[in-house]
Amino acid sequence: MKQLDDTFSLLHAVIHDEELQMKAEMGVEISGQQLMVLNYISKNTETIQRDVVTFLNRKAATVSVLLKNMEANGWIDRKVPDDNSRNKNIYLTKAGNDALILKKWTIFIQSVK
């Protein structure tokens, strides 16, 4: 049991260091809603902005600002497809995926402590 506790402590320390490094590099931390959106996009590859509005049950303008900030942080890309200029497809970037994985690990480690 002690070896398992030591392993979780080491894993927690590594993840904490990664979180601090990410925060230092980006200057931001992921909010709960941003985490939810990153997770949603990772599971729904054909996501458009309206899907996120429905998922979060928020006003379109609120979601637009949220996504704009996430795009500015480099976590997502929003692109207008050639065949439909009214929709914006939303894609998870590598930085967004890395941030999502790191945050999920942090939550997991905190839950087993």
Side-chain angles (χ1 to χ4, degrees):
M1 187 67 168
K2 177 161 177 17
Q3 186 177 11
L4 185 59
D5 287 343
D6 291 345
T7 302
F8 275 117
S9 292
L10 179 61
L11 188 56
H12 181 267
V14 168
I15 289 172
H16 181 69
D17 287 347
E18 287 292 322
E19 269 192 316
L20 291 176
Q21 183 179 355
M22 183 179 73
K23 187 175 180 181
E25 289 172 2
M26 297 176 146
V28 292
E29 198 168 315
I30 299 173
S31 72
Q33 280 196 335
Q34 290 170 331
L35 180 62
M36 289 171 56
V37 171
L38 290 175
N39 195 48
Y40 180 83
I41 295 169
S42 75
K43 295 180 186 306
N44 300 281
T45 55
E46 296 293 320
T47 301
I48 59 173
Q49 196 161 323
R50 187 177 326 123
D51 296 334
V52 178
V53 169
T54 302
F55 171 69
L56 291 178
N57 194 27
R58 299 276 187 240
K59 293 180 180 178
T62 303
V63 170
S64 182
V65 170
L66 177 73
L67 294 175
K68 184 177 181 179
N69 290 334
M70 292 176 71
E71 189 173 30
N73 289 331
W75 299 329
I76 62 167
D77 281 328
R78 293 188 295 172
K79 296 180 183 170
V80 178
D82 295 333
D83 62 339
N84 188 345
S85 62
R86 297 182 65 184
N87 288 327
K88 289 184 180 176
N89 292 333
I90 305 169
Y91 303 96
L92 197 61
T93 64
K94 180 180 180 333
N97 191 56
D98 291 349
L100 176 63
I101 291 168
L102 185 60
K103 195 65 176 178
K104 282 182 175 182
W105 269 108
T106 301
I107 292 167
F108 171 74
I109 295 300
Q110 289 172 346
S111 71
V112 295
K113 268 193 140 188

